[in-house]
Amino acid sequence: MRALVVEDELAVQRLLVRSLIQQGFQCDTATDGNEAEQRASKVRYDVVITDLKMPNRHGHALAVYLLTLKSRPAIIVHTGVVEPKLAKDLLARGVDDIVFKPFDFHLLAIKAKALAERRLAPGDGLQKQPVARKGESPSTAPENVPVRIPISLASIESRLSGLSRILPISSAGLDVYNMTRTDAWETSQIAAAIQRDATLAAEVLQLANSAFYNTSGQRVVQLERAVVQIGQKRIGEVALATNALASLAHGLVPWMNVGLTWKRSMAAGLAVEMLIAEGKYQQNEQGLLLSAIMHPLGRVIMGTLYPKQYDAMVEACQAKHETLFKQERAMFAINHAEATALLLASWGIPADIHLPLKHLFADSTSLGKVPEATSKKVELLRLAITLGNVAIGEWETWDSVEVPSDALLRKLDGKFITGIIRRIKSEIEQLAVARKDRPGASKPHPPTPASHPLKELAYCDFSGSSLDFLGETISSMGVKLVKYTPEDLNDGKAGVLVNCVGIAPHRFAERAGRAARQTLTIVTEAERVEKYGDYGQVLALPISYGRLRAVCLEAPQGIMQPQ
């Protein structure tokens, strides 16, 4: 691999070259942007490492030029000037990493190697792979088609190291979090730390005045009282998470609905608090609130680091009715929740705090291998996210629709869950109004209006769960459910959508009879799809909201009311 080091300080230049050679690079050098551009116009480099502030032509102009090359190198900018706007601009343009002085030369060389290896395949995650003609092995096939190659963990960590320095998280948020990790600080000192950041102070006061934290209804105007109201034990997680949320800005990730992201964060946080307050889960609360509020920010992180890839994935989701999660899993070595955990780790947050995020999307086999305390937190986090999403009732077409596990739902009373959803809905509406009216606050996107008229859909719930999450989700589409009983299906009712989540096919057959075969639309888990095939169309969970909505809207209209 070949690297170009652009640095006017000869001592730094020599140390960089030495470290790169140790990683297997052949190195060229330049002392300013003009010399570097001349070299890069004649030689194809795998990596260019450039200082930002140099004579004749600075590193920003050089980086912009390098990005225009047909086969551009990986670009690492290093600088002693911490300028967030400039760094954001470079990352948005496509620069692979920004490193701030002083830095570790050996670590920088390792990052450069990882970036160079990734760029051996195109940076958009696509690589040409041979396709065999009849009688040929794939290795000798002359034709090529694009095949998606996952972007490596090393590449993500490399880019993330630059983002973690420029993401607008104030030192006040981190300080408050660290202060609440011990009992050494007074309430007044914690309030004073919050006061250093006006945006953070406004977010904390807003939460302290919500109905959940302020049952008396007396307005809280002093930060000290807000700390007491929320609880000194929780205020650290609240401060760090809401500080991160406050940094969301429209245009940072163009395809993302910032208002909806904010609502989902706050709704999941409120759901966690309500589940803990119920009394059964207090031993599992450490880190759960932070994980709940931070859970959607991973897509902000990944969308900022890989804008072109996300533009392509969002377009594919809309065209194919796929979930964005499915696209992400094919594109990246880690999911967006794991990216959030990596960011928290880079801020010095202990691993046990963000473990629920790391395992948020783990399958049942993987989750069974982690300690029971961690798996319980993951289950609660998933439930809190689902409750929040159902309460808000706003969706993107690429969202994943799924339901909590039967085992968890059996532990909770249906009326209790319904009550949580109702409270979250009310709280979020009030918080959104207060946030919108706050001076200087960015205005959240309005909900996306339904693009279809209200319609009726014949629906039967076989699941027997304490709360029908699937039915709640479909209702949020503007669809009125006409409820059928399992016995109605025995009469040969056709065109009914049936919730069979958690129900074995033989149990369904016993109650539904054979009259309904080939006439129903069954929704069930992926592993049961084949066994339900005799009854008609089968939809596997998780499913994209867009796909589920399309099926519901295409179902027959004006079905006869059940007897």
Side-chain angles (χ1 to χ4, degrees), residues 244-270:
L245 278 177
S247 71
L248 290 179
H250 301 296
L252 183 64
V253 183
W255 51 268
M256 178 172 282
N257 184 331
V258 172
L260 180 55
T261 301
W262 179 86
K263 285 182 180 179
R264 286 180 172 176
S265 289
M266 299 310 300
L270 286 169

Side-chain angles (χ1 to χ4, degrees), residues 295-346:
H295 85 273
L297 295 186
R299 281 197 170 131
V300 179
I301 295 165
M302 297 295 282
T304 303
L305 297 178
Y306 297 96
K308 293 180 181 178
Q309 288 86 344
Y310 268 89
D311 286 344
M313 289 190 295
V314 167
E315 185 178 344
C317 287
Q318 293 170 333
K320 301 177 183 179
H321 281 161
E322 286 185 350
T323 65
L324 185 53
F325 180 75
K326 181 178 179 180
Q327 290 281 324
E328 290 168 325
R329 189 167 55 179
M331 180 68 74
F332 301 109
I334 61 173
N335 59 60
H336 62 274
E338 291 172 311
T340 306
L342 284 175
L343 183 67
L344 290 171
S346 74

Side-chain angles (χ1 to χ4, degrees), residues 257 260 393-396 445-451 549:
N257 184 331
L260 180 55
E394 298 173 32
W395 302 85
E396 300 283 10
H445 287 306
T448 304
S451 58
R549 183 178 64 180

Side-chain angles (χ1 to χ4, degrees), residues 18 29 68 94-95 139 219 244 276 352 440 454 463 513:
R18 183 187 302 170
T29 61
T68 66
V95 167
S139 60
R219 184 155 185 80
I276 291 171
D352 59 327
L454 187 70
S463 70

Side-chain angles (χ1 to χ4, degrees), residues 451-463:
S451 58
H452 52 81
L454 187 70
K455 68 163 289 179
E456 292 185 349
L457 175 69
Y459 180 79
C460 180
D461 178 21
F462 258 83
S463 70

